[in-house]
Amino acid sequence: MKKTGKLLLAALMCLTMASACSSQNNSQNADVFDPANIKTVADAFAVEAGSTEWTQSGNQFVYAFDKDGECYRFFVDLPEETAEAVDQISIMDEDHDEKLYNLISALPIARTEYLNETAMSQEELGKLVGKTGGDLLDEGWIVWISDLNTMEYNFHYGPHSYNVAFDGKVDNFDVDPEEAIRTMKIKSVTFAGLGDILAE
């Protein structure tokens, strides 16, 4: 079973603050941040970030955040009984985040990845200018957000997301967003942050 969501960090603030205070070496705050200090799930949750996402699939839990444009994701190996317990929490449960936290907060981080480092460089992105939206779609880029007024799109490509501006306009706003850009040429592409955080 795969579950994905965004943590309501405000609801977890009391829990994460308690965890951070109990471990002086691992505490994070808005002024000092060192990913090397993140040893457990609680440490990761304690970081004040601009956006956060999590995905759980089977025995793997992935948590990611964007802090001041710097994107990280953390892989956690769930014991079988913990994975089963997480599966039992309804995503609609108003106490979902707290229950999830209680189950996994003490678990160690198995692997940390700095996503800015694995994203396409601006030089590589520049080579996409002049290609078409169809070229991106055929290469596996997934439309996440589209604005037919400005022809600016956000795409997920692997664990990253990118903002793409197209040279063109549409007259029919009932058109499928993917079909609208198939033949339109790309004007610019920039790294935007988190994409599909479970993707390689």
Side-chain angles (χ1 to χ4, degrees):
M1 179 179 179
K2 179 180 178 182
K3 297 169 70 177
T4 300
K6 296 179 183 292
L7 286 174
L8 300 176
L9 293 183
L12 293 175
M13 189 59 66
C14 291
L15 292 170
T16 54
M17 284 180 65
S19 297
C21 290
S22 67
S23 180
Q24 199 170 36
N25 290 333
N26 291 339
S27 63
Q28 306 288 329
N29 57 56
D31 298 318
V32 178
F33 170 67
D34 183 352
N37 287 336
I38 297 180
K39 307 295 185 183
T40 68
V41 174
D43 294 333
F45 283 2
V47 175
E48 296 179 18
S51 63
T52 64
E53 294 187 25
W54 63 266
T55 294
Q56 179 248 335
S57 180
N59 287 50
Q60 186 173 66
F61 181 87
V62 181
Y63 178 66
F65 59 68
D66 180 335
K67 181 174 176 62
D68 302 323
E70 303 291 304
C71 300
Y72 297 86
R73 66 175 171 175
F74 307 89
F75 295 84
V76 182
D77 297 325
L78 300 178
E80 190 66 37
E81 62 275 14
T82 303
E84 292 176 0
V86 171
D87 281 340
Q88 294 303 311
I89 309 173
S90 170
I91 198 70
M92 302 303 293
D93 189 333
E94 62 180 12
D95 296 321
H96 176 278
D97 287 359
E98 183 176 347
K99 291 178 179 179
L100 176 67
Y101 180 88
N102 289 335
L103 284 170
I104 68 175
S105 61
L107 295 177
I109 302 297
R111 177 162 62 93
T112 299
E113 183 176 356
Y114 177 45
L115 290 176
N116 292 54
E117 193 172 59
T118 57
M120 295 176 68
S121 68
Q122 193 56 52
E123 181 179 359
E124 293 173 307
L125 295 175
K127 294 177 181 178
L128 297 176
V129 174
K131 291 189 174 186
T132 65
D135 291 328
L136 295 185
L137 295 170
D138 292 342
E139 291 175 8
W141 290 55
I142 300 172
V143 175
W144 198 247
I145 299 173
S146 60
D147 187 335
L148 295 178
N149 286 297
T150 63
M151 294 315 300
E152 295 177 351
Y153 281 51
N154 178 266
F155 283 83
H156 281 188
Y157 187 55
H160 315 99
S161 68
Y162 302 89
N163 291 329
V164 182
F166 290 94
D167 186 10
K169 64 179 182 179
V170 296
D171 298 318
N172 177 16
F173 288 92
D174 292 327
V175 67
D176 182 283
E178 290 190 2
E179 292 305 314
I181 58 169
R182 270 217 170 260
T183 59
M184 285 189 187
K185 291 190 175 181
I186 297 168
K187 291 198 301 184
S188 65
V189 190
T190 55
F191 174 63
L194 300 175
D196 179 359
I197 64 170
L198 195 60
E200 293 297 328

